[in-house]
Amino acid sequence: MPSGQRRGRWSGVPLQDRQALRRDELITAGVNVLGGEAGPALTVRAVCRTAALTERYFYESFADRDEFVRAVYDHVCSTAMTALMSSTTPRDAVERFVTLMVDDPVRGRVLLIAPEREPVLTKSGAEWMPSFIELLQHKLTEITDPAIQAMVATGLVGGLTALFTAYLNGRLAASRKQFIDYCVDMLLSRASSH
């Protein structure tokens, strides 16, 4: 390299890995833009500016804005699902979810609030909901009747979604500990009442 020449952003990164890295950077930028406090004001230009990448790189990974928004949402849902699947107790599950979605409210707003404001996510949110319900249903091992198990899981996911959304929106004045304790109590009391 001639002296005085700047090392590029992709120096040392093999060509075959660069597109995947750029895609990851765009997804990260998309989470920050879609989950911003002002709401989902996501444009291709805003994402590219946030990622410090050109639109050329955006379109090497995504056909259009809608495909990108769905990819951002799917990324956040997958992250949440992975955290919940690896939890060992109801408290552990709630604490992991709070860490992901409340301690980092940008992710929480993508998961819970963006589908209300971003029309392209209406279907995506509806497609992910059964996965969260099924995951919880499999954790409700004390309930032996599959129909009751499904109803309890559906009600809990709906209730928890409303609670987390209200907490993220600042409509609940509970402390973090109070919020976690309440969610855990809700899970344990519904699971043991059948």
Side-chain angles (χ1 to χ4, degrees), residues 93-173:
V94 171
E95 287 176 350
R96 286 174 188 254
F97 203 76
V98 166
T99 298
L100 276 173
M101 301 298 159
V102 175
D103 294 350
D104 184 2
V106 169
R107 273 192 286 219
R109 287 190 290 269
V110 169
L111 180 68
L112 300 169
I113 298 170
E116 297 172 3
R117 300 178 183 164
E118 182 63 59
V120 73
L121 292 180
T122 303
K123 185 177 178 191
S124 295
E127 288 171 349
W128 271 98
M129 189 62 71
S131 298
F132 285 102
I133 292 168
E134 185 179 329
L135 175 65
L136 181 56
Q137 187 174 345
H138 289 306
K139 302 262 185 186
L140 297 173
T141 56
E142 293 178 23
I143 302 172
T144 56
D145 182 332
I148 300 293
Q149 202 180 52
M151 288 188 287
V152 169
T154 301
L156 283 170
V157 168
L160 289 167
T161 298
L163 277 169
F164 273 86
T165 301
Y167 196 69
L168 279 169
N169 280 334
R171 293 193 315 260
L172 297 177

Side-chain angles (χ1 to χ4, degrees), residues 35-111:
E37 285 188 42
L42 190 143
T43 64
V44 171
R45 283 188 178 169
V47 169
C48 290
R49 191 172 39 253
T50 302
L53 292 169
T54 65
E55 289 183 32
R56 170 183 160 225
Y57 293 129
F58 179 91
Y59 290 109
E60 86 179 342
S61 293
F62 305 100
D64 57 26
R65 178 194 179 277
D66 288 355
E67 180 184 308
F68 176 73
V69 169
R70 284 190 297 272
V72 168
Y73 187 75
D74 288 347
H75 169 76
V76 171
C77 288
S78 294
T79 302
M81 190 65 74
T82 299
L84 293 172
M85 284 192 300
S86 62
S87 63
T88 55
T89 65
R91 177 164 294 280
D92 183 39
V94 171
E95 287 176 350
R96 286 174 188 254
F97 203 76
V98 166
T99 298
L100 276 173
M101 301 298 159
V102 175
D103 294 350
D104 184 2
V106 169
R107 273 192 286 219
R109 287 190 290 269
V110 169
L111 180 68

